[in-house]
Amino acid sequence: MRKVALRGLRARPLRTILTAMSVVLGVAMISGTYVLTDTINKSFSEVFSQANVGTDVVVVPGEVDEDFYSEPAPLDDALLSRVRAVDGVAAVAGGVQDDISLRNAAGRTIGGDTTFVLAHQPSPLDSFEFVSGRAPRAAGELALSAKAFQEEGLKLGETVTAVGAEGAQRFRLVGSATFGNVDTVAGFPAAIVTLPTAQALAGRPDELDTISIAGDDGVAPARLRAAVAGALQGERVEVRTGAQDAAQQTADLEEEFGFIRTALLVFGGIALFVGAFVIYNTFTITVAQRTRELALLRTLGASRRQVLRSVVLEAGLIGLLASLLGLVGGLLLAPGLRGLMKAVGADLPATASVIATRTIVVALVVGVLVTVLASLVPALRATRIAPIIALREGLTAEPRSGRGRIVVAALLCLAGAGILGYGLFGGASGSGAAATLGGGAVAVFLGVALFSPQLVRPLAWVIGAPMQRWAGVSGRLARENATRNPARTAVTAAALMIGVALVAFVSIFAAGLRGSIDGAVDRAFTGDLSVVHKSFGSTPPALADAVQRVPGVAAVSSLRFSEAKVVGEQETTGVSGIDPATLAQTYRLKWKQGSDATLATLGADGVLVDSGYAGAKPAVGERIEMLTPAGKRVTYTVRGLLDEGSDFGLLGGGLVVSNERMAADFNERSDQFVFMSFAAGAGATTTRAAVDRLVATRFPDHETQDREQVKEEQAGQVNQLLYLIYALLALSVIVSLFGIVNTLALSIFERTRELGLLRAVGTSRRQVKRIVRLEAVITSLIGASLGLVLGVLFALAISRPLEEEGFRLTFPVGTLVLLMVAAAAAGMLASLWPARRAARLDVLQALAYE
């Protein structure tokens, strides 16, 4: 039977390749994801290892709580003197790292929007090797990583501008350096300055990110670590050896970027799920077409187990071929995925591609397993072919649909709906809720796919009616061909249904999100201008101070964001910082209990509670105790209740304190939004021009936006994410198109004599092509129609829990119509080759074909 399976593959190479391609793209996505993320992790691992060359011990801020996403409070640089006094310490240096914007004399950014600023370390702690010039020694000096220095054509002594916490500052280039044996830091340019300068650029005077320590000769790192830990006992710090620090930073980074891997693997799984429908359909058709062959094998003595093993072996070999091709495709896809991430603002570093053993194993196992599992039902059906069929003409083993299929379909749909409901309202959060929703969606897709043969005839009648009126007999034959085998058409359409449903859901949800944000901006933003970072970074408080002094500006108000863990609550909650004195002049609050006058009562211990707060709802006058990322346990008194959450407010839907407390208790000093209003009588055009000049001169990495531009900016961010999802979902759509091609090709094979008869009675080649193309369009539109309905239902379900937070569901009718047109065009595209093949059949050979 092994020879039979191999001979079958050799006899049908086209079918083998088309079937394999339905798995190749999914496996390529999975393997490409692993290659990309492993490469990124290796890049950062090398950075961390290089950064600790010559370092025996590292002191870092201690975590307050593992649930906090925010960074812990930085180190006080007064700790340097205490560490320096420890026996066995040979050298000590404080480290500061932050993101800045670096510009040349023409004002153009050097090396992109993000540049690392690093404090220079003395030998032997210095990780940089200066290939020209020297290290910075004074406040106005700066050295640059070698790649950016060379690519920009810079020269020693030139002046560059660094935009940091205090705005633009000019520096003289005194050197270029490599980071060990590489000329960037994790793919990014690096600006090397003195420690006080780095602290000033980062806006953190007297604070450190790390303390690096080199020990005396003969002092073991573990022993030195113990001595330093003893000297700093009582401080909220963590003391590690250099090797431990590199390993921990690598592990932390892998965890932080884990969501990228998970998200990309989900899209790879979707492509494989669609591919499983294609494989199932392909093997169902081929088993039906090989009925006499399989029956003859049974007549010659082959057992049912041998027939099953033959079909499964054939599937396994196709899966292995697809997995190998997918693994190679993953290597080619990884750079494309990195470019896709970069296009939406996530510029991730990468070195030479990393191909881990795990990547190879997962690619092979997943590809083979999906192919074999998808072929099991057709393979079992092949074992039920009676030997007597070999003696009869015209019999096939087409699957029969009955009440059992409908009952199973109904149960799957009900189970899927129940799982979706539990995921939405059952209290699960994060990855647990996402997994539950995904499981529910899969069950619904399977249920609809099982029931869809009952819908093929009415849908084909409605969709095909205009085609019949336009194309006459060709349209009628195309519609009849689509309904000839409803189960086959349904499975082919189901593959496209999944992709269309997800695209429709994402489009509807994004439209609702854009509309909700627009409504919130129109309602809440009452100021004249907003200042934001061009690259989604934070804004230094110096910008708000500078804007306040511009003539014509009446009020400036900043928003900051952090988080806290309220005592008695399991999850962290978002905390927003405001300027109580000026917020009401730029932002309209929606009060549940209180008024704008309540803002003046916040003081040093007041808090406002938004209706979006997930914890137990406190009353005005109650006290809330919380733990902050800075490690402080603070108690606030509730001064008022907001209803921002019911209108998709911009304050974050949690707790609200003053920016003064955000700095003191949360160690959050950077702004995210800066709103301003103009003075009465001030010319709006003149005042904005003055603000624009200030921003362009001192803070060129920021820009001003009026209300419409704020909405456009928010919509642009939503659209960026939307286009990324579209690009990733395109894989599943492409897989479904391979399914249409495969089904049409196999259908033409079994209809050879029929096509020959059509040609013999006068049907032209053009008409034959039209019949096949219209059949593909009908099949595609059946899948798109089902997908559109499911997408709308998913959007309705997912949006219900968000209505309380102000989400307003919006249906982008134009986008949905365009989606249907695109589905028809995709079906037409998929039919080009099968239609050409059908039209080129030799009439005499076709008539003689059995």
Side-chain angles (χ1 to χ4, degrees), residues 201 207 228 256 280 351 376 467 518 642 722 729 753 761:
L201 287 171
E207 294 178 349
V228 172
E256 289 178 11
Y280 168 82
T351 56
L376 275 182
M467 298 180 189
D518 286 352
L642 295 172
L722 183 64
L729 285 176
R753 290 190 68 186
V761 298

Side-chain angles (χ1 to χ4, degrees), residues 64 107 170 389 393 457 490 602:
V64 177
R170 302 182 70 178
I389 292 179
E393 291 285 347
R457 293 186 187 278
L602 278 182

Side-chain angles (χ1 to χ4, degrees), residues 401-417 440 442-455:
S401 60
R403 294 180 180 178
R405 178 193 289 256
I406 297 175
V407 170
V408 173
L411 291 175
L412 278 172
C413 288
L414 290 174
V442 168
V444 170
F445 281 134
L446 290 174
V448 173
L450 283 175
F451 185 74
S452 58
Q454 313 301 318
L455 304 174

Side-chain angles (χ1 to χ4, degrees), residues 90-125:
V92 178
V96 171
Q97 176 183 319
D98 214 317
D99 298 340
I100 63 170
S101 173
L102 201 62
R103 296 168 184 268
N104 60 17
R108 189 177 68 252
T109 56
I110 295 175
D113 293 327
T114 301
T115 298
F116 291 145
V117 60
L118 302 170
H120 176 247
Q121 308 270 308
S123 180
L125 301 170

